[in-house]
Each structure stands twice: as C-alpha cells, then as structure tokens.
Amino acid sequence: MMKRMLSGIKPSGELTLGNYLGALRNFVNYQDEYEMVVFIANLHCITVYQDPKELRQYLKDAVALYLASGLDPQRSIIFLQSDVMEHAQLGFILACNSYLGEMNRMTQYKDKMAKGENALTVGFYTYPTLMAADILIYDPDYVPVGDDQKQHVEIARDIAERFNNRYSPTFKVPEPLIPKVGARIMSLSDPLKKMSKSDHQDKGVIYMLDEPAVIRKKVASAVTDSIGKVNFDPKEQPGIANLLQILASCKSTTVEAVLPEVGHLNYGEFKSVVSDAIIELLEPIQKRYHEIVSTDLLEKTLYEGKLKAQAIASRKLKKVQHKVGLEIFKR
Ligand code: AMP
Ligand code: TRP
C-alpha cells in the first residue's frame, strides 16, 4: 500500500519563497510516491487576529498557489481545515490528553511570551494540540515540514504515544520529514531571522506572487558583508550563505554543487544569478496562478477534498470517542 504523507500551511499572509522551498514544492514532488493529504490550516491562522477580508484573500490565493505549484486534486486530498470539523473535535480531546507543561515548552509560545506579547489567545496556546489532531486523525507515515515546525510534529508524536498507551493502539506515530536544502530560508534584510510572511512590507521577504522586477530589487538590496567573496560561511557571512541556499534550493541541488559556478563572482553579479534562478522558478507558477485564480477550480477542489478528508477523519474520530468513553451506543 502507498504510504501516506500529510502537511499543511497556515496562510496568515501571502505565501513566501520560504513556504515554497521549505514545504509546498516538496508536497508536489512527493505526490508520485505517496498518498498526499494537504490542507490549508485556516483555523491556525485565527490564533492571531486576522482581518476577515484579508484572510479570505490569503486563503484563496493559497489554494490557487497549491494548484499552480502542481498539486493535483486527482491524486492528492486538498482541503480547508475548517471544512472538516473533526479536526477541532479531536483537537479538544487531545488537549485533554496534553499538559500545560508541554505547551509551556513550545518555542513558538515561548518566543511570543519573551517578546512580552500581552494579548496571546487561548487558541494560540493550544495551537500544538490542534496541530496534533490535524496530523493524527489521518494516520500519516510522514509529515513534511520546514525546520520551524519540527517541534510541533514531535509533540504530536508524544501525544499519540501517550494516547496509545493510556487507551489502546489508536494512532500511527508519524515521522517529521525536513528537507536537506531549503528547510530554513532566512530574511534577505536580516539573515539571522526566518523569512516569514508576517513581516509585512519587509523587503527581506520574497512572496510567491512578487513580480520579477520586485524580486530583483529585493535580492539586490539583500544584506551581505564586507568580506567580498562568495563563500559558504553561515557564521561569518550569513547573508551570502542564505543566498547560496536559496540558489541551490531553487535549482534543486546542493550548495557544494553551485559554489564552483558562483564562487568567483562579485556580490552584484552573484545576486543577479540568484534573482534569475528565483524568477525562473516562480514565473511559470505565477502564470498558472493567474489562469486559475478566477475559475471554479478552487471551489471544486476544496469541495471534493473535504468529502475525501471527512471520510477518513470521521471514522477515526468515532473510534477515538468510543475508546475515551464518550460514546454510549456503538453506531
Ligand atoms: P507557515 O507559513 O508557518 O504555515 O509554514 C508553512 C510551511 O512552510 C511549514 O512547513 C514551514 O516549516 C515552511 N516554512 C515557512 N517559512 C519557511 C522558511 N523561511 N524557510 C523554509 N521553510 C519555511
Ligand atoms: N503549523 C503549521 C505551520 O505553521 C501548519 C500546520 C497546521 C501543519 N497543522 C499542520 C503542518 C499539520 C503540518 C501538519 O506551518
């Protein structure tokens, strides 16, 4: 039987080159070998307040970009998280099988607390238990994610093991799958920070829908150093190292393989090679995006995806509710 893979993206902004290289592109490649379950984590989006109108646009664009990137609704199950209500219901049950201490240890939560955010929502706090439900309800073998999501997959594994021990074997314990190149694309303006869609207006972020001229401008103003030589030295030359990672990832190869081709260039020339590679990668996707974004393909995809996902999720949830003792009658 084909192994199953599951992942999601939380489009609380426009999707970035980091999302594409770290996640989306891999989902597309894995379709040949695995049964892919891919969803848009819209419930996770609202753990931080979203303007409703903007959120709708981000979600729509994300579906269109999934399809434009080559996710195939015939082969993969593509849906909106909130369309399959079983996620939230299992999320609550899993929250009752998780501890405050575990949530307090999550980096994402700790970072926000450390920044002194004073309006963190309860939904944000229980983000990991909902994410565990997203995963465990489908019994996937693998969960491909970028580096920043590894801890969330690990806690999902812990919760699965605990549940299996406390009740009886119920959930498959999945493996996270982190790409070798592109797992952590950094901001162009601050190469010590992740390239993230929440940095509004930041010229350090390349969006999947950025025009070629915008991409060139952003890359041209990327922070480098005064060493003046294209080396791969993330410690001393984090900006250049990031551009090398981006180049290698865009060309689906390794930093070692691209270095001989660019090692002799000055920074200006090197940046123009990097821009070319990004544009070559994104232009065909943008073209397809524009072809499909106003068609009924998006709605059709989400509807069919929801039915397929629900069929799996509702069976699992029933089983769980029975084991926990919530169901009185066997249905
Ligand atoms: P998010 O945008 O946080 O929903 O992330 C969606 C997916 O993209 C996750 O698998 C992330 O790990 C991945 N991702 C997000 N930002 C980056 C980045 N800068 N570099 C690599 N992967 C990323
Ligand atoms: N938290 C993930 C992110 O920000 C999105 C997500 C939600 C997810 N549920 C998931 C990813 C389940 C993988 C599996 O990227």
Side-chain angles (χ1 to χ4, degrees):
M1 225 174 82
M2 237 186 187
K3 292 209 167 176
R4 183 177 288 164
M5 208 175 248
L6 169 136
S7 199
I9 289 184
K10 171 174 60 87
S12 47
E14 296 171 47
L15 296 193
T16 69
L17 182 66
N19 289 134
Y20 183 70
L21 296 176
L24 194 45
R25 179 175 61 179
N26 306 313
F27 305 168
V28 175
N29 292 335
Y30 288 132
Q31 285 181 118
D32 300 329
E33 266 177 84
Y34 297 92
E35 180 191 0
M36 285 301 295
V37 180
V38 202
F39 65 96
I40 293 183
N42 58 349
L43 290 173
H44 280 106
C45 289
I46 62 163
T47 57
V48 172
Y49 174 78
Q50 303 287 326
D51 175 81
K53 199 161 153 245
E54 278 179 13
L55 179 58
R56 249 174 250 130
Q57 188 62 43
Y58 294 149
L59 298 177
K60 190 171 169 199
D61 279 350
V63 188
L65 283 170
Y66 272 26
L67 297 173
S69 299
L71 273 180
D72 173 4
Q74 302 303 323
R75 284 187 290 166
S76 298
I77 304 180
I78 305 167
F79 65 99
L80 211 53
Q81 184 184 28
S82 63
D83 277 348
V84 182
M85 291 179 214
E86 285 80 355
H87 287 226
Q89 176 110 346
L90 180 62
F92 183 78
I93 297 173
L94 296 184
C96 298
N97 283 275
S98 308
Y99 294 94
L100 300 186
E102 290 177 300
M103 299 299 117
N104 295 341
R105 281 196 297 275
M106 301 307 288
T107 312
Q108 187 174 289
Y109 168 74
K110 283 201 301 193
D111 285 355
K112 291 245 183 189
M113 287 300 273
K115 278 189 204 144
E117 294 225 11
N118 52 13
L120 281 189
T121 69
V122 175
F124 184 83
Y125 188 64
T126 58
Y127 187 114
T129 47
L130 176 61
M131 179 154 163
D134 296 337
I135 298 173
L136 301 179
I137 206 162
Y138 297 100
D139 281 325
D141 297 280
Y142 298 104
V143 183
V145 283
D147 204 36
D148 60 328
Q149 295 299 319
K150 192 164 169 231
Q151 196 188 24
H152 286 146
V153 181
E154 275 160 4
I155 202 162
R157 287 168 55 91
D158 293 346
I159 295 172
E161 278 168 1
R162 178 174 317 128
F163 192 99
N164 290 347
N165 289 331
R166 184 175 275 178
Y167 298 98
S168 63
T170 308
F171 298 118
K172 198 172 249 183
V173 181
E175 300 284 337
L177 213 64
I178 316 289
K180 286 192 192 70
V181 200
R184 200 168 179 81
I185 303 294
M186 309 308 275
S187 159
L188 300 179
S189 52
D190 179 358
L192 301 178
K193 237 179 60 195
K194 190 184 85 160
M195 183 182 283
S196 155
K197 50 182 140 45
S198 38
D199 290 335
H200 273 301
Q201 313 293 334
D202 188 343
K203 55 185 187 350
V205 183
I206 292 178
Y207 295 103
M208 287 184 74
L209 292 173
D210 275 348
E211 307 255 342
V214 175
I215 294 175
R216 284 192 198 287
K217 207 163 152 210
K218 288 179 177 174
V219 175
S221 58
V223 166
T224 54
D225 52 66
S226 54
I227 296 174
K229 179 144 180 26
V230 179
N231 293 310
F232 186 66
D233 185 345
K235 237 185 150 153
E236 298 299 323
Q237 298 178 264
I240 292 293
N242 186 37
L243 292 174
L244 276 167
Q245 296 254 25
I246 292 176
L247 178 62
S249 182
C250 285
K251 294 192 166 292
S252 300
T253 180
T254 58
V255 169
E256 293 75 42
V258 293
L259 253 183
E261 289 169 34
V262 293
H264 60 284
L265 301 179
N266 67 39
Y267 285 176
E269 294 163 341
F270 172 55
K271 283 176 164 177
S272 115
V273 172
V274 175
S275 303
D276 288 345
I278 300 172
I279 293 165
E280 199 180 307
L281 189 73
L282 293 184
E283 254 190 336
I285 298 173
Q286 297 178 349
K287 189 165 167 274
R288 279 195 297 276
Y289 163 89
H290 290 295
E291 285 163 8
I292 60 177
V293 71
S294 312
T295 68
D296 62 3
L297 183 64
L298 310 191
E299 202 178 339
K300 195 163 158 267
T301 298
L302 292 183
Y303 179 70
E304 284 167 7
K306 161 191 159 157
L307 294 183
K308 287 186 216 161
Q310 236 168 17
I312 305 172
S314 63
R315 237 179 296 134
K316 190 65 163 192
L317 180 65
K318 239 181 226 147
K319 222 184 229 174
V320 169
Q321 300 207 136
H322 180 71
K323 290 201 188 201
V324 174
L326 292 172
E327 307 251 348
I328 305 174
F329 303 110
K330 268 217 158 150
R331 280 175 292 164

